Amino acid sequence: MSEPEGSGVSAANHDHPAAWAFFLQWARHPLTTASMVPSGRQLTRQMMRQLPADARCVVELGAGTGVFTQALLTQGISPRNLLVVELNPEFHAVLCRRFQQLQIINGDARDLQGIVAGASLDGGIDAVVSGLGFLAMPREIQKQILEAVFAVLGKGRSLIQFTYGPKAPIPQDLLEELGLTATRVGFAPLNLPPAFVYKLSRRAD
């Protein structure tokens, strides 16, 4: 799989080693690494289309080997205003080698408020782009992550999330408890496996 090209950021073009690293993590942790390969171009385009036109500061959760990271930079997000959070230490090491000018944190998305508070960003968070495997998480962890995400997101801003299932990756009762809505906004049938894109937003009262 090829990743989007060109960002002006130090990002070595090592698609094959990155894909191999992704496969190894899937083999070791199949429940938390839901696919054997990184996200494809079609899914990447679908995710990037959901960014607000005026987005300046973006957080990426669960960046893996950096497919969406590269696309966000290509989209025009400044390196100083892109904060990447990756829990897996092997993926974190890959990201640090590829994107040496970015703020890349080896941390838990549940701690996002503290991570954002300690980061150097030029404004409020305009979007959170997520590759987290919500389907494999217990409900309580889903809840804690969503609470942290919407604590840092600006008013009217959304979490952009993909999933391999035809339904939203967050159960309806949890969405209702947190006052959120999940809207399917894209489908990438050529991705391996096929993927759906959702926007999670605060419910309008």
Side-chain angles (χ1 to χ4, degrees):
M1 189 216 76
S2 297
E3 298 178 2
E5 298 177 354
S7 68
V9 176
S10 176
N13 185 15
H14 295 318
D15 287 346
H16 294 303
W20 179 243
F22 204 98
F23 175 79
L24 288 176
Q25 291 308 305
W26 173 83
R28 293 169 183 162
H29 312 288
L31 291 180
T32 54
T33 308
S35 173
M36 292 185 291
V37 295
S39 300
R41 287 184 176 182
Q42 186 182 57
L43 175 57
T44 301
R45 287 194 298 268
Q46 294 274 2
M47 293 287 284
M48 294 304 109
R49 281 181 191 149
Q50 304 311 317
L51 285 175
D54 61 348
R56 292 182 65 251
C57 293
V58 175
V59 170
E60 183 183 5
L61 303 177
T65 57
V67 175
F68 296 157
T69 312
Q70 181 66 65
L72 287 163
L73 294 167
T74 302
Q75 194 82 1
I77 303 301
S78 169
R80 69 177 180 273
N81 285 325
L82 176 55
L83 175 63
V84 180
V85 181
E86 174 55 61
L87 180 62
N88 183 295
E90 287 83 4
F91 284 154
H92 177 259
V94 170
L95 292 165
C96 288
R97 288 195 298 270
R98 292 194 64 197
F99 304 101
Q100 297 176 19
Q101 297 180 37
L102 297 187
Q103 301 177 77
I104 304 173
I105 306 299
N106 183 200
D108 193 315
R110 290 176 289 181
D111 301 325
L112 189 57
Q113 285 180 271
I115 292 171
V116 168
S120 299
L121 298 171
D122 290 344
I125 306 302
D126 297 314
V128 174
V129 173
S130 171
L132 297 176
F134 275 107
L135 288 175
M137 297 178 186
R139 186 183 190 279
E140 185 58 28
I141 293 180
Q142 292 179 340
K143 179 180 178 180
Q144 291 169 359
I145 291 174
L146 291 173
E147 287 174 335
V149 165
F150 283 92
V152 303
L153 269 172
K155 185 177 181 180
R157 303 304 197 177
S158 300
L159 166 65
I160 304 166
Q161 173 72 44
F162 77 89
T163 181
Y164 297 125
K167 297 181 180 179
I170 308 300
Q172 184 61 35
D173 67 314
L174 180 54
L175 291 171
E176 292 175 358
E177 178 181 341
L178 297 177
L180 303 176
T181 61
T183 304
R184 193 168 79 186
V185 292
F187 176 46
L190 301 181
N191 197 70
L192 183 64
F196 298 86
V197 178
Y198 280 82
K199 285 179 77 170
L200 275 69
S201 308
R202 295 181 182 90
R203 190 169 56 225
D205 295 326

